[in-house]
Amino acid sequence: MKTVLRLCCLLFIFASCEDKEPKSSDTNLNWKQRMHTTTLPDSLESGSTYLSVYSQIYSVTEHVTHDLTATVSIRNTSRKDTLYITKGEYFDSQGKHLNTYIDKTIYLNPLETLAIVIAEKDKEGGPGANFIFDWQVKPSTSEPLFESVMISTSGSQGLSFTTQGKKID
């Protein structure tokens, strides 16, 4: 009986060591449910925002890095108008396109926030990763806010910092 119990414990330990965690996720929302399916009005103003995201940072020298989890926050800052995101692309430190998170127009209701999480194990972006978001709003509506929060913990030590998006042409 003890042998069977030990064997079951060993199988449980080996099964729990399997890496089932995805490298990155698109938040807990179903993006297809967020899709805007009708034609957007011509009166909307368009913009693009650059957001720096760090999946790794240097420590001590350029040869030592810490891996980070990054949460990308997409925020509609309007109290009354809908925000439309028409594209959201992720690039690595060398500018190589890694993923298109948003490729069909999605909407955010007033004051709503959506998130994209880049898992700590996903080192692909590197220390200079970034997003470009294309968006549209009604004229005289406040612009969206794009932020990222990077975090890493080890033992009793923690590291966290934020970045904010910058509107680009």
Side-chain angles (χ1 to χ4, degrees):
M1 182 66 173
K2 286 184 180 179
T3 305
V4 171
L5 185 57
R6 286 183 186 154
L7 183 60
C8 287
C9 286
L10 283 174
L11 286 173
F12 176 75
I13 290 169
F14 285 121
S16 65
C17 290
E18 187 178 323
D19 185 13
K20 295 180 183 177
E21 188 177 324
K23 289 195 320 183
S24 60
S25 68
D26 304 356
T27 181
N28 57 357
L29 295 172
N30 181 342
W31 292 99
K32 289 182 182 177
Q33 291 178 342
R34 310 291 312 163
M35 282 188 355
H36 182 78
T37 56
T38 61
T39 304
L40 294 176
D42 290 335
S43 61
L44 295 179
E45 293 180 357
S46 298
S48 294
T49 299
Y50 170 91
L51 178 66
S52 58
V53 177
Y54 300 80
S55 53
Q56 293 180 319
I57 57 169
Y58 298 111
S59 177
V60 182
T61 74
E62 70 275 10
H63 304 292
V64 179
T65 59
H66 288 284
D67 300 334
L68 303 167
T69 299
T71 302
V72 174
S73 182
I74 304 167
R75 297 173 179 263
N76 183 353
T77 60
S78 173
R79 293 179 185 223
K80 60 181 179 160
D81 293 319
T82 301
L83 163 66
Y84 301 97
I85 306 292
T86 57
K87 188 167 250 185
E89 296 180 293
Y90 182 47
F91 301 88
D92 71 6
S93 298
Q94 289 73 42
K96 177 185 165 202
H97 181 267
L98 296 176
N99 193 2
T100 300
Y101 282 91
I102 301 168
D103 62 352
K104 300 207 180 335
T105 302
I106 63 166
Y107 66 91
L108 277 77
N109 292 317
L111 299 176
E112 186 173 18
T113 301
L114 298 180
I116 297 170
V117 177
I118 308 297
E120 186 173 354
K121 293 181 180 186
D122 184 351
K123 303 175 194 178
E124 212 173 7
N130 55 80
F131 275 85
I132 301 281
F133 291 100
D134 296 331
W135 46 269
Q136 293 185 324
V137 294
K138 287 183 181 176
S140 71
T141 296
S142 58
E143 293 179 3
L145 177 63
F146 298 89
E147 296 178 304
S148 60
V149 178
M150 281 63 62
I151 186 167
S152 178
T153 57
S154 178
S156 63
Q157 298 296 312
L159 167 67
S160 65
F161 59 98
T162 64
T163 61
Q164 284 195 346
K166 177 179 174 27
K167 188 174 178 186
I168 57 175
D169 294 329

